Amino acid sequence: MTLQLQENLSLKPYNTFGVEVSARWFAQAHDDAEVREGLATAAGKGLPLMVIGGGSNLLLTRDVEALVLRMASRGARILSDDGVRVVVEAEAGEVWDDFVRWTLEQGLGGLENLSLIPGTVGAAPMQNIGAYGVEIKDVFVSLTALDRQSGELREFDLGECAFAYRESRFKREPERWLILRVRFSLSRAPQLRLDYGPVRQRLAEEGGDTPTPADVSRVIRAIRREKLPDPAILGNAGSFFKNPVVTAGEADALRARFSDLVAYPQGDGQVKLAAGWLIDRAGWKGFRDGAVGVHAQQALVLVNYGGATGAQLYALAGRIREDIRQRFGVDLEMEPNLY
Ligand code: FAD
Ligand code: NAP
């Protein structure tokens, strides 16, 4: 196929905040050849290339003077199956949640806790996506990426990805690697991860003795639909801030002042604070200023009520961050990728 280029295209449909900015050039890559064509075209025009998937982890604050390449490659397949462990591979442009559903249809467990996360397979390793006690690093095998500097393909195994909480090597080296396909090790006899209270509780209410991965997925989908705003209705990029990790001493000092502090020991002397609790406790939940606000059910989610600019969203985030620093002495780090 040949890349179809569009000039000065609105990116509003391509970012879940629904922010109106334009791309100098835009194209969709359906296979490796079109990815290479995109890189060559951008170089020929003297422009950078910006790769996107579903645009669900982006905050766009200005027009993008680049060739925006949206990954649209599709396909998922089983690579090996020993009757219990099954290695699967998916193309970068595959919709993440379609892929999760496909793995469940194959009778495979491992990705059920990551149900209904928006975006693409190729972007999932960028921040080692996680939810309800599971991160992709828990089931990751390897990925294939194109080195944008040398043009060569490179395979990365788990140890080479530097996965951490909402972090990876690929996020730290943003202009270097273009992820083409990702492989996961799933199981026909999975160990379910039911650490998060609402999941366990919802399953208990249903009364089944032995939940399956499909049950966990269904329950998590229901919880997420109730709690999180649908970007098709209310623009957002999910959690706007990462949960801050502090020392046990800092957490104790905060608990002395706020007995209802929500905090989770990490087992390494560090403690994870729930950023949503901090923002809620500071009174921001449900706050609205014109077109931007903080979601009424989930204080971690900033929303675009319609017509907001990226700069307005970023300014609101700055106000929240400063307030949290002053009240709690805690620094919040932004999660979405800023342009
Ligand atoms: P994009 O937003 O398009 O891109 C994100 C970054 O990855 C950009 O820097 C982009 O340049 C880069 N990128 C994209 N594709 C590639 C590629 N193929 N190769 C190299 N770089 C690439 N995240 C979680 O971790 N857990 C959640 O539970 C969760 N829930 C969410 C709920 C909602 C309602 C929303 C809106 C977002 C949520 N997110 C969550 C955030 C987001 O969905 C994930 O980070 C997702 O992986 C982003 O995928 P994307 O395809 O939309 O990436
Ligand atoms: P929640 O269940 O209300 O919990 C609030 C916070 O406490 C979460 O951030 C979670 O941390 C932490 N937490 C809860 N139970 C925990 C446990 N048993 N052990 C360790 N930490 C625990 O959270 P929520 O906002 O409804 O989100 C549910 C899950 O979906 C979370 O895992 C969250 O990260 C994920 N999610 C992510 C995004 C995103 O954009 N990144 C958006 C929506 C939901 P963790 O966040 O570290 O899990």
Side-chain angles (χ1 to χ4, degrees):
M1 274 209 262
T2 306
L3 212 56
Q4 302 292 306
L5 282 177
Q6 290 174 278
E7 192 170 5
N8 295 325
L9 188 84
S10 168
L11 289 177
K12 192 173 175 185
Y14 298 108
N15 74 98
T16 61
F17 259 129
V19 163
E20 179 69 271
V21 295
S22 69
R24 180 76 176 86
W25 294 96
F26 179 89
Q28 309 214 38
H30 300 85
D31 54 32
D32 293 8
E34 287 192 347
V35 168
R36 288 185 184 277
E37 200 184 330
L39 280 165
T41 305
K45 292 181 182 299
L47 288 173
L49 181 128
M50 177 183 180
V51 58
I52 64 167
S56 64
N57 211 18
L58 289 180
L59 179 58
L60 301 170
T61 57
R62 57 197 155 101
D63 289 339
V64 183
E65 195 53 25
L67 192 166
V68 174
L69 190 70
R70 180 171 188 257
M71 293 304 292
S73 49
R74 290 282 191 276
R77 56 198 75 89
I78 289 177
L79 295 184
S80 68
D81 183 349
D82 71 5
V84 181
R85 299 306 313 174
V86 179
V87 176
V88 297
E89 176 182 74
E91 299 296 320
E94 191 64 47
V95 172
W96 173 260
D97 192 48
D98 290 352
F99 172 57
V100 172
R101 283 178 193 274
W102 175 81
T103 63
L104 292 167
E105 282 162 17
Q106 310 303 309
L108 303 176
L111 296 178
E112 57 276 5
N113 291 39
L114 305 176
S115 295
L116 215 58
I117 297 180
T120 53
V121 167
M126 287 296 289
Q127 70 160 17
N128 176 31
I129 57 168
Y132 298 101
V134 172
E135 297 175 331
I136 62 159
K137 74 169 174 47
D138 301 332
V139 286
F140 179 89
V141 175
S142 62
L143 62 76
T144 304
L146 180 68
D147 183 343
R148 291 167 56 169
Q149 287 173 9
S150 70
E152 284 170 9
L153 292 185
R154 163 131 183 227
E155 300 236 336
F156 290 88
D157 65 21
L158 179 63
E160 294 170 308
C161 294
F163 287 132
Y165 171 64
R166 305 283 192 265
E167 268 300 341
S168 74
R169 167 181 200 155
F170 313 105
K171 193 167 178 177
R172 290 191 204 108
E173 299 174 21
E175 302 303 317
R176 180 91 193 257
W177 307 107
L178 202 155
I179 296 167
L180 296 172
R181 54 195 67 85
V182 190
R183 290 167 284 278
F184 301 95
S185 174
L186 306 179
S187 175
R188 295 195 185 282
Q191 292 248 302
L192 300 182
R193 299 285 297 273
L194 307 175
D195 317 331
Y196 280 45
V199 179
R200 191 180 284 281
Q201 187 185 332
R202 196 70 72 101
L203 285 167
E205 282 164 12
E206 289 190 353
D209 305 336
T210 46
T212 63
D215 292 329
V216 175
S217 172
R218 179 172 41 74
V219 158
I220 286 178
R221 283 168 198 282
I223 297 171
R224 291 183 72 107
R225 282 203 186 89
E226 285 163 22
K227 215 170 163 182
L228 289 167
D230 178 352
I233 297 165
L234 190 59
N236 75 90
S239 304
F240 198 89
F241 298 106
K242 297 180 184 180
N243 286 325
V245 177
V246 300
T247 64
E250 286 166 329
D252 287 345
L254 278 171
R255 198 175 287 102
R257 289 169 55 207
F258 307 98
S259 58
D260 54 340
L261 182 78
V262 177
Y264 297 89
Q266 299 299 282
D268 56 359
Q270 304 275 93
V271 176
K272 179 181 77 179
L273 304 178
W277 181 89
L278 296 171
I279 298 168
D280 187 2
R281 192 69 159 70
W284 288 98
K285 198 170 175 179
F287 173 85
R288 179 168 179 177
D289 180 8
V292 298
V294 178
H295 193 244
Q297 266 113 272
Q298 173 46 283
L300 257 189
V301 178
L302 300 197
V303 295
N304 172 7
Y305 284 102
T309 64
Q312 287 169 332
L313 286 157
Y314 191 60
L316 173 60
R319 287 173 66 188
I320 294 171
R321 216 168 172 170
E322 186 50 34
D323 190 33
I324 299 303
R325 192 177 295 134
Q326 293 203 359
R327 281 177 199 264
F328 305 103
V330 171
D331 258 329
L332 290 182
E333 193 185 332
M334 179 176 164
E335 184 177 299
N337 301 273
L338 184 68
Y339 181 85

